[in-house]
Amino acid sequence: MNFDPRYSGRNFSSVGTRPIRPDGIDKVTGRARYGADFNMAGQLVGRVLRSPHAHALIKSIDTSKAEKLAGVKAVITAKDLPDLTNGDAAMYDILDNSMARKKALYDGHAVAAVAAIDARTARQALKLIEVDYEVLPHVTDVDEAAQHHAPLINDRVFTEGLEEKPAKPSNVTKRTQFGHGDVHKGFAQADFVVERSFKTEQTHQGYIEPHACVASVNPDGTADLWVCTQGHFVYRQHCAQLLGLEASKLRVTSSEIGGGFGGKTHVWAEPVALALSRKAGRPVKLVMTRDEVFRASGPTSATSIDVKIGAKKDGTITAAEATLRYSCGPYPGSWAEIGAMTAFACYKLENVKTVGYEVLVNRPKTAAYRAPSAPMAAFAVESVVDELAKELGMDAVEFRIKNAAQEGTRSSYGPVYGPIGIGPTLEAVKSHPHMKAPLKANQGRGMACGFWFNFGGQTCTDLNIGMDGTVSLAVGTVDVGGSRASLSLVAAEELGIDYSQVKAVVADTSSLGYNDMTDGSRGTFSSSMATISAARNAIKILKDRAAQMWDIPVEDVTWEKGHAIAKGEKYGNLSPLSLKDIAAASGKTGGPIAGHSELVADGAGVSFATHICDVEVDPETGLTRVIRYTVVQDAGKAVHPTYVEGQYQGGAAQGIGWALNEEYIYGKDGRLQNPGFLDYRIPVCSDLPMIDTQILEIPNPNHPYGVRGVGETSIVPPLAAIANAVSNAVGVRMTHIPMSPPRILAALDAEREG
């Protein structure tokens, strides 16, 4: 059925309210089932043997002793996961990352796995596996890896994006470029130019729940996979291809998810668990330890970024340029490309150029982390914007307002913007009480802007109306941030019934059509669009059933506030029929009533935010404390404002940890030194202030309610806002994230010596 996704202004009765979250009681009472909470009869325990070397040739693997150990039911290596990728390089990389084939490419790379009757036996079996390694030179730093003399990680990789294909392989996998105008001409017009280089260290998403799954491959070729994931349909697609299974015979069920933030958009252990189950003939449960999560799942990129911006005396930016180098782990990615696209997206620029370089390193395969690549680019750009404003003698907010993108602006990465929220967020910050609050000694205030694209994608939804008038909403986008509550509100809004009458569930892959990964802030945006479409399709059926019950033409039936109404004076004797009335009679009027929708949700609508941060820095120790934080962001339409505020606060909290503490630390041997929350320190409640939020609503013209994605943009400004605050507090420009106490003290010492 035709569906019009365009925005139409309307008054809401359910959308915009704050009902209690439907999953809350189960989660706080421990009834909710996460990845590790599922069990199957006769299941075995899976464990993975991982490389202790950052880069090593696997000369041989002897599993014979492990196979003979009592209680061991299966041992697998790469030979049990043959290459079925048919030349698909991206899928081959996923396969190789799941189980190393010729080389171990990072500390923690899987080289073998066992399935045994219990964890103790599985651990013993791992110790009996003998691997003969030839240790190779390694490189873990992004700048060092980009050098011509660096150890070569993958001899099949030649730099893409160059005018001529290079003759030799390289750790630089791709060059991308965006922009328009003439930056050389623009810099010649500038009265002031600021140019700096920045570095950010690799960080982990910090989800509390480790990766976990239960896999069961049956003799008839069917299989089941229970897993914590952000996209069970994508997991089905990847696992089926890697193991040579028919996708329709692999049913994947997503568990509750204890945090993902992009880190659970890739398969890691799932193909291994399925291969173990297939070989053992029994279900296999595989749960990563925290050490494995850090060493062998996907963190974000480490980066090295150069930024140059020029402006006239009146504050007009004349040119902006950035070169961005992002680490990908040992496999090609597109992380620098995204950084290059987002770097200057907040601004209206006549001359702009960004160049991104993807760089291989001997670290785990890089994964998404909430607006992947954008926070690092924003840190570099917004730091230079702040410094340039000082050079001009302009207020930091006013300088940004003068140069902010607006409707009709050609973005730095190509498209022309429609209605956007960067200007309104800056105006809101300008007038916010936070900006006027006094500061004390050793305190500093910073602010920064951030951008994210957002994404829609393939989406399928079923809406089923029970005979008692209650509604079951089956969606295929995993609930990573409250979407079940939001989608229930949307269904209630469309149908005109109470929120309490709607129950949303995440359906398994055998119960619903394909849905893309829940990433790109697409969950509520895309599934709400599909829910609106499904509800409107159901309303057509409800009107038809009401017409049957009244014996009048369906054209004479309207739907208002949850009731079918016969329009016209000639039907004055017909009382409205509620949804419940119509549902109760459905068995006599044509059977079950349901609405279905499958669509590609285009027009996600870009998102902007501006953050304010106050910090206090101890000049003797370098310890930084965030004392006040404010988030202003455009939501398009806040379907469930409490969840929206939570997304804003969560992104800011993660950004605070990233800016001040979090980093992967590798030793000279290429091994990760801090694979646990004791030494990799994420913020706890005592580290954070109450994060204030302000929701702006600039409707997205490509959604019936004006909804935009909100979950990722909030992590983009914090690195820059905090860096600007710290720099203002200590009087030294901070250029290296995280700004840990030793780095702050080193910067202060360098300033004194300089």
Side-chain angles (χ1 to χ4, degrees):
M1 297 183 183
N2 293 330
F3 173 67
D4 185 358
R6 291 175 297 178
Y7 173 70
S8 58
R10 59 182 289 176
N11 295 320
F12 295 100
S13 56
S14 293
V15 166
T17 61
R18 301 172 183 258
I20 295 173
R21 58 188 299 164
D23 55 340
I25 293 176
D26 282 351
K27 287 183 175 178
V28 299
T29 58
R31 295 181 62 187
R33 292 204 296 174
Y34 292 87
D37 292 329
F38 187 74
N39 296 289
M40 297 184 73
Q43 76 182 18
L44 303 171
V45 175
R47 287 288 185 272
V48 178
L49 181 67
R50 301 188 180 278
S51 168
H53 305 293
H55 194 195
L57 184 70
I58 301 172
K59 299 176 71 175
S60 65
I61 303 177
D62 184 352
T63 62
S64 59
K65 293 179 182 178
E67 290 167 347
K68 294 174 183 176
L69 181 66
V72 171
K73 302 300 180 182
V75 181
I76 66 167
T77 62
K79 70 176 186 290
D80 296 289
L81 281 165
D83 181 8
L84 305 175
T85 60
N86 297 318
D88 185 330
M91 287 303 299
Y92 180 85
D93 289 346
I94 295 173
L95 176 68
D96 188 70
N97 189 53
S98 297
M99 187 66 69
R101 313 188 83 68
K102 299 177 182 178
K103 292 200 299 182
L105 297 173
Y106 56 90
D107 167 39
H109 199 168
V111 295
V114 303
I117 57 173
D118 56 36
R120 183 172 178 270
T121 304
R123 288 193 296 269
Q124 284 182 305
L126 292 183
K127 294 177 181 178
L128 295 174
I129 298 174
E130 298 175 357
V131 184
D132 184 11
Y133 294 102
E134 179 184 329
V135 178
L136 302 172
H138 65 270
V139 59
T140 58
D141 179 79
V142 63
D143 284 326
E144 292 178 10
Q147 301 299 315
H148 294 296
H149 60 267
L152 188 64
I153 295 172
N154 189 334
D155 60 10
R156 295 182 295 109
V157 171
F158 293 79
T159 307
E160 298 177 10
L162 302 178
E163 292 184 3
E164 295 183 6
K165 182 178 178 179
K168 296 181 179 180
S170 170
N171 291 334
V172 179
T173 71
K174 184 168 62 173
R175 178 190 185 275
T176 52
Q177 180 175 322
F178 298 91
H180 53 260
D182 185 338
V183 291
H184 298 293
K185 179 180 175 182
F187 284 121
Q189 296 170 347
D191 296 310
F192 295 89
V193 176
V194 173
E195 184 173 8
R196 278 198 183 272
S197 296
F198 301 85
K199 287 197 73 126
T200 68
E201 297 301 329
Q202 192 166 49
T203 55
H204 197 271
Q205 299 86 353
Y207 38 81
I208 302 303
E209 178 199 25
H211 296 270
C213 65
V214 179
S216 179
V217 179
N218 304 311
D220 62 359
T222 61
D224 283 277
L225 180 66
W226 166 280
V227 61
C228 55
T229 172
Q230 291 178 237
H232 47 315
F233 289 89
V234 175
Y235 274 39
R236 177 185 67 174
Q237 184 177 327
H238 287 176
C239 289
Q241 184 173 349
L242 294 179
L243 278 92
L245 302 171
E246 295 180 29
S248 62
K249 292 184 177 180
L250 174 58
R251 180 176 64 177
V252 182
T253 304
S254 64
S255 68
E256 289 286 355
I257 186 168
F261 315 111
K264 292 175 181 172
T265 57
H266 301 251
V267 297
W268 308 105
E270 295 77 17
V272 174
L274 285 163
L276 284 169
S277 175
R278 179 167 61 185
K279 192 167 186 177
R282 288 168 61 175
V284 173
K285 183 174 186 175
L286 202 162
V287 181
M288 279 189 174
T289 64
R290 184 64 59 189
D291 178 276
E292 289 178 302
V293 169
F294 274 100
R295 292 173 60 216
S297 68
T300 189
S301 299
T303 74
S304 172
I305 303 172
D306 308 320
V307 174
K308 180 180 179 181
I309 306 177
K312 294 180 179 179
K313 292 178 181 178
D314 67 357
T316 303
I317 294 177
T318 59
E321 186 174 16
T323 302
L324 309 95
R325 296 165 291 274
Y326 280 56
S327 67
C328 302
Y331 305 103
S334 298
W335 309 109
E337 180 176 1
I338 299 172
M341 294 174 75
T342 63
F344 294 109
C346 291
Y347 299 106
K348 178 176 59 178
L349 303 169
E350 294 295 327
N351 306 291
V352 58
K353 177 183 177 182
T354 58
V355 179
Y357 294 96
E358 318 289 346
V359 184
L360 300 184
V361 293
N362 292 117
R363 297 191 181 206
K365 173 184 169 70
T366 296
Y369 180 12
R370 206 169 190 165
S373 303
M376 306 84 122
F379 160 59
V381 168
E382 291 292 299
S383 293
V384 173
V385 167
D386 230 49
E387 195 168 358
L388 185 54
K390 284 187 174 66
E391 290 284 330
L392 291 163
M394 287 187 68
D395 175 78
V397 180
E398 292 288 359
F399 181 50
R400 288 172 170 85
I401 290 174
K402 183 176 181 66
N403 293 285
Q406 54 195 254
E407 185 173 358
T409 294
R410 182 184 178 188
S411 69
S412 57
Y413 63 96
V416 175
Y417 289 135
I420 57 174
I422 181 62
T425 65
L426 283 164
E427 293 290 348
V429 161
K430 178 182 175 182
S431 59
H432 199 283
H434 186 165
M435 290 300 289
K436 302 176 179 65
L439 294 171
K440 298 178 182 179
N442 300 319
Q443 294 181 352
R445 176 169 297 138
M447 54 82 58
C449 301
F451 159 89
W452 186 243
F453 311 96
N454 292 330
F455 172 62
Q458 300 178 79
T459 312
C460 183
T461 297
D462 276 338
L463 185 150
N464 296 285
I465 301 175
M467 293 185 70
D468 61 354
T470 58
V471 174
S472 174
L473 182 66
V475 302
T477 45
V478 176
D479 184 352
V480 298
S483 60
R484 280 172 294 188
S486 297
L487 298 176
S488 296
L489 283 169
V490 169
E493 186 73 47
E494 282 295 316
L495 295 172
I497 60 177
D498 189 77
Y499 165 83
S500 63
Q501 300 301 298
V502 183
K503 172 70 173 179
V505 297
V506 180
D508 66 55
T509 58
S510 295
S511 304
L512 199 63
Y514 180 84
N515 281 259
D516 278 326
M517 183 74 64
T518 304
D519 59 7
S521 298
R522 71 175 293 268
T524 296
F525 167 78
S526 62
S527 279
S528 66
M529 192 179 289
T531 297
I532 293 168
S533 175
R536 291 178 182 177
N537 291 337
I539 288 171
K540 291 177 182 178
I541 298 172
L542 288 163
K543 288 164 63 177
D544 181 74
R545 301 297 179 85
Q548 289 184 50
M549 294 169 70
W550 283 326
D551 194 20
I552 65 174
V554 70
E555 293 79 12
D556 292 342
V557 181
T558 62
W559 189 263
E560 298 177 19
K561 297 180 179 179
H563 292 76
I565 298 174
K567 58 184 180 181
E569 294 182 2
K570 59 183 177 179
Y571 300 128
N573 63 323
L574 297 178
S575 299
L577 290 172
S578 69
L579 181 147
K580 186 174 182 179
D581 295 332
I582 300 169
S586 60
K588 300 177 182 178
T589 59
I593 301 173
H596 181 77
S597 176
E598 59 279 315
L599 49 78
V600 177
D602 293 324
V606 295
S607 175
F608 293 90
T610 302
H611 291 197
I612 318 167
C613 174
D614 292 354
V615 302
E616 183 172 282
V617 183
D618 186 328
E620 294 185 1
T621 66
L623 179 66
T624 300
R625 187 167 62 94
V626 177
I627 56 177
R628 186 171 181 181
Y629 204 100
T630 300
V631 176
V632 181
Q633 184 175 323
D634 170 27
K637 176 61 186 178
V639 177
H640 193 305
T642 301
Y643 275 113
V644 171
E645 291 164 351
Q647 290 294 319
Y648 291 2
Q649 292 165 331
Q654 288 180 309
I656 289 169
W658 192 343
L660 297 178
N661 295 307
E662 298 179 40
E663 66 175 307
Y664 271 37
I665 299 173
Y666 279 86
K668 292 182 180 180
D669 59 358
R671 301 199 67 185
L672 183 61
Q673 303 296 300
N674 58 334
F677 284 139
L678 182 63
D679 296 310
Y680 180 96
R681 191 172 181 278
I682 63 174
V684 295
C685 289
S686 58
D687 296 313
L688 300 170
M690 178 59 196
I691 298 170
D692 296 320
T693 61
Q694 183 176 344
I695 299 172
L696 302 185
E697 295 185 327
I698 292 87
N700 175 10
N702 301 308
H703 186 281
Y705 293 179
V707 169
R708 299 178 190 267
V710 301
E712 293 178 278
T713 312
S714 53
I715 203 174
V716 181
L719 274 63
I722 298 166
N724 288 334
V726 171
S727 298
N728 291 334
V730 301
V732 179
R733 174 53 54 183
M734 300 301 300
T735 60
H736 196 162
I737 293 290
M739 294 170 289
S740 56
R743 286 205 178 101
I744 290 176
L745 292 178
L748 290 171
D749 290 342
E751 181 72 9
R752 294 188 194 102
E753 294 171 2

